[in-house]
């Protein structure tokens, strides 16, 4: 995690220990989050403020500096930390322009993935930009009934609208679009949910990332058993999609997916 929690700073990012030689930095774009997904720690206190472009870039510079001290360098960036990136689109675009600039880090757009919980207007805006970023759609549900319970923000598109926006982005950029799906035991992890999701994405070419739920203090959700996760993955693969089950990493420091949270550090 960067920077070290001395106390924890709002412009924090996360980079996990690699399994190989690849290092991925997870960038935050806001302090808190207005989407307030029911299973996520980041939105428990709502949105505090947007990060400025310089604060987003600072996370990259901190991580790069720490890795350089160890003789390593960043391989990829995912904009999947605290906040909804497309709710802070001007600062996001400005920070990505700095990261990609010849006079800056010159970090290639193809190594950057932007995640959104379904801000359709923002996805369309990204598609108008020339840079070939990857896009991740945080769907978390196969239908609107379940999605409205666990991703309650009213400014997001429906399941079908988000998928269609992803298809349009993919066609415009010729870049990979992925579905992010947190598996919540007894909520969205049943075989019928997997079959419904598979039917909705059939033929899209989307990559599906399944994320077994990471515990958050004060929330009653639980991760499904491993066999349920594998059964869900097999059902979705029936659509022809490539499916990856994310390995849990960083939960021992509350840095796993869904665990980033603003901690009070005094006045």
């Amino acid at each position: 995690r960067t920077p070290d929690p001395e106390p924890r700073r709002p412009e924090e990012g996360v980079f996990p220990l690699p399994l190989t030689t690849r290092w991925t930095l997870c960038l935050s774009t806001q302090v808190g989050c207005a989407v307030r997904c029911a299973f996520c720690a980041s939105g428990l206190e709502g949105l505090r403020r947007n990060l400025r472009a310089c604060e987003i870039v600072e996370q990259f510079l901190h991580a790069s500096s720490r890795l350089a001290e160890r003789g390593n360098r960043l391989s990829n960036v995912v904009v999947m930390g605290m906040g909804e990136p497309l709710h802070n689109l001007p600062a996001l675009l400005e920070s990505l322009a700095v990261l990609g600039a010849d006079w800056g880090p010159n970090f290639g757009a193809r190594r950057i993935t932007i995640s959104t919980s379904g801000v359709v207007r923002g996805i369309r805006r990204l598609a108008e930009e020339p840079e070939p970023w990857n896009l991740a759609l945080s769907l978390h549900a196969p239908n609107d009934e379940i999605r409205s319970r666990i991703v309650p923000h009213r400014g997001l598109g429906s399941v079908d609208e988000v998928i269609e926006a992803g298809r349009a982005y993919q066609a415009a950029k010729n870049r990979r679009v992925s579905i992010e799906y947190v598996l919540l035991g007894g909520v969205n992890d049943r075989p019928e949910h997997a079959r419904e999701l598979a039917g909705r994405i059939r033929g899209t070419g989307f990559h599906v990332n399944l994320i077994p739920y990471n515990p958050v203090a004060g929330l009653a959700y639980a991760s499904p058993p491993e066999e349920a996760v594998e059964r869900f993955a097999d059902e979705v693969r029936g659509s022809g999609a490539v499916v990856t089950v994310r390995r849990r990493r960083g939960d021992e420091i509350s840095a796993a997916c869904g665990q980033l949270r603003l901690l009070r550090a005094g006045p």
Side-chain angles (χ1 to χ4, degrees), residues 54-233:
C54 61
E55 293 174 307
I56 299 172
V57 172
E58 183 185 20
Q59 296 168 67
F60 182 97
L61 296 178
H62 272 297
S64 296
S65 176
R66 291 294 182 87
L67 286 174
E69 292 171 0
R70 307 173 193 176
N72 296 307
R73 58 187 300 178
L74 284 171
S75 306
N76 297 87
V77 165
V78 292
V79 190
M80 297 182 181
M82 189 183 295
E84 164 52 62
L86 302 190
H87 282 169
N88 191 17
L89 189 53
L92 172 66
L93 293 176
E94 184 180 349
S95 64
L96 294 181
V98 171
L99 295 185
D102 291 340
W103 49 264
N106 196 21
F107 197 84
R110 293 176 181 270
R111 295 194 284 159
I112 298 173
T113 299
I114 301 169
S115 176
T116 177
S117 53
V119 183
V120 172
R121 181 180 299 180
I123 296 171
R124 291 171 180 158
R125 175 70 178 82
L126 286 179
E128 296 172 356
E129 294 292 318
E131 288 80 4
W133 302 299
N134 302 303
L135 179 69
L137 307 173
S138 294
L139 203 61
H140 307 314
N143 57 57
D144 292 328
E145 190 277 324
I146 295 176
R147 183 167 156 86
S148 65
R149 286 192 279 119
I150 61 177
V151 187
H153 190 72
R154 293 180 180 270
L156 306 178
S158 67
V159 169
D160 285 338
E161 288 170 340
V162 174
I163 290 174
E164 183 52 39
R167 291 176 69 114
Y169 184 91
Q170 186 170 252
K173 299 283 192 175
N174 194 30
R175 296 300 296 158
R176 189 181 80 171
V177 171
S178 58
I179 297 288
E180 305 291 303
Y181 195 106
V182 171
L183 287 164
L184 305 169
V187 177
N188 65 352
D189 65 329
R190 296 171 184 159
E192 58 266 31
H193 299 147
R195 288 190 289 271
E196 187 174 4
L197 176 64
R200 288 188 183 276
I201 66 171
R202 192 179 307 277
T204 62
F206 290 171
H207 184 112
V208 178
N209 287 314
L210 298 179
I211 308 165
Y213 176 67
N214 295 304
V216 173
L219 300 182
Y221 295 102
S223 182
E226 185 175 343
E227 57 270 23
V229 173
E230 291 303 323
R231 185 169 62 246
F232 193 100

Side-chain angles (χ1 to χ4, degrees), residues 1 13-26 67 70 75-76 78 80 210-215 223 244-260:
R1 171 178 297 187
V14 173
F15 66 98
L17 292 174
L19 294 177
T20 60
T21 58
R22 296 170 63 87
W23 291 83
T24 297
L25 169 67
C26 183
L67 286 174
R70 307 173 193 176
S75 306
N76 297 87
V78 292
M80 297 182 181
L210 298 179
I211 308 165
Y213 176 67
N214 295 304
S223 182
T244 300
V245 177
R246 291 264 194 93
R247 299 183 73 174
R248 179 176 294 170
R249 303 174 70 193
D251 57 315
E252 72 281 359
I253 57 169
S254 296
C257 183
Q259 291 183 330
L260 275 184

